[in-house]
Amino acid sequence: CRCRFDGVQEFRSVLLAEPDQIARAFVTKLVMYATGSDLQYADRVVVEETVNRLRESDYGVRLASHEVVQSSLFLNR
C-alpha cells in the first residue's frame, strides 16, 4: 500500500488502486451495521465471497446491500 499522497487527487488514486480492499471494508462495516455485532473469524469467508461477486459486477453499492441482507450472516443472527 502506498500510504503517502499529495492532495485529494492522489488520495483518490491510492484508494482506487485497491478496489477489493475498499469493497471488503465496506461489506464488513455494512454487515456489522446490519447485524449489530462484530464479525467473527469464520465470517470472513462470506465477506470474501461477497467481494468476489461485487468484483464481477463493478462493485455496485446496491448489490453490496442486497448481498449482505441475503447472506447467512444477516439471516441467521
Side-chain angles (χ1 to χ4, degrees):
C1 171
R2 190 177 142 220
C3 297
R4 296 185 62 104
F5 54 88
D6 272 334
V8 175
Q9 292 302 331
E10 245 183 85
F11 179 62
R12 183 177 187 268
S13 297
V14 169
L15 289 177
L16 293 177
E18 297 289 337
D20 277 6
Q21 190 171 348
I22 294 170
R24 190 174 299 107
F26 181 73
V27 168
T28 298
K29 295 299 182 183
L30 192 57
V31 168
M32 290 170 55
Y33 178 77
T35 63
S37 63
D38 290 335
L39 287 179
Q40 304 300 312
Y41 182 76
D43 299 340
R44 65 187 169 85
V45 173
V46 175
V47 171
E48 286 305 313
E49 290 170 349
T50 302
V51 169
N52 290 338
R53 285 191 292 278
L54 291 176
R55 183 184 317 111
E56 294 169 1
S57 67
D58 203 25
Y59 303 98
V61 173
R62 179 184 282 173
L63 179 61
S65 301
H66 178 77
E67 291 288 333
V68 167
V69 298
Q70 294 298 315
S71 73
S72 59
L73 300 177
F74 182 78
L75 295 173
N76 296 326
R77 286 204 182 159

